[in-house]
Amino acid sequence: MDQLAAEGYVPARPLLRMVSLLATAPMPLPLITPGLLTAATGQPATIAGVETALAGLYRYGPLGLPEDCNPRSQPTANDNPPARVVLRPLVSEWCS
């Protein structure tokens, strides 16, 4: 988390804390808004900050796509779910 902050992904730590409240449940990306992050953490957030934090967390691995974290989940041709992120199981254990 310190490395992410040093690289400019400052909102990554509070965003990870917020997502960790859901444990391993996938979180739809449209729900991760600056308002929600501000309300959950008490720290001001912007759209650019949220997007940057998500990119950093995905890049470094604490967040993934549900398919990345559960190899058994195979989308069907009829599935068209909204984009979602999930806390990787090992990170979930560490955050709890």
Side-chain angles (χ1 to χ4, degrees):
M1 297 314 300
D2 291 339
Q3 181 66 33
L4 280 167
E7 291 182 14
Y9 300 103
V10 177
R13 187 182 311 264
L15 181 64
L16 183 63
R17 285 184 184 137
M18 183 183 76
V19 173
S20 72
L21 296 173
L22 298 174
T24 57
M27 184 172 197
L29 283 175
L31 292 180
I32 303 174
T33 64
L36 177 63
L37 186 57
T38 298
T41 65
Q43 299 177 15
T46 64
I47 291 174
V50 169
E51 289 174 353
T52 299
L54 285 168
L57 289 168
Y58 186 77
R59 178 175 161 219
Y60 277 88
L63 291 183
L65 303 175
E67 304 79 47
D68 296 342
C69 299
N70 183 4
R72 293 183 187 176
S73 70
Q74 297 294 324
T76 66
N78 295 330
D79 286 345
N80 193 14
R84 301 174 297 161
V85 294
V86 67
L87 193 62
R88 295 195 184 268
L90 182 59
V91 177
S92 176
E93 287 292 320
W94 176 73
C95 288
S96 59

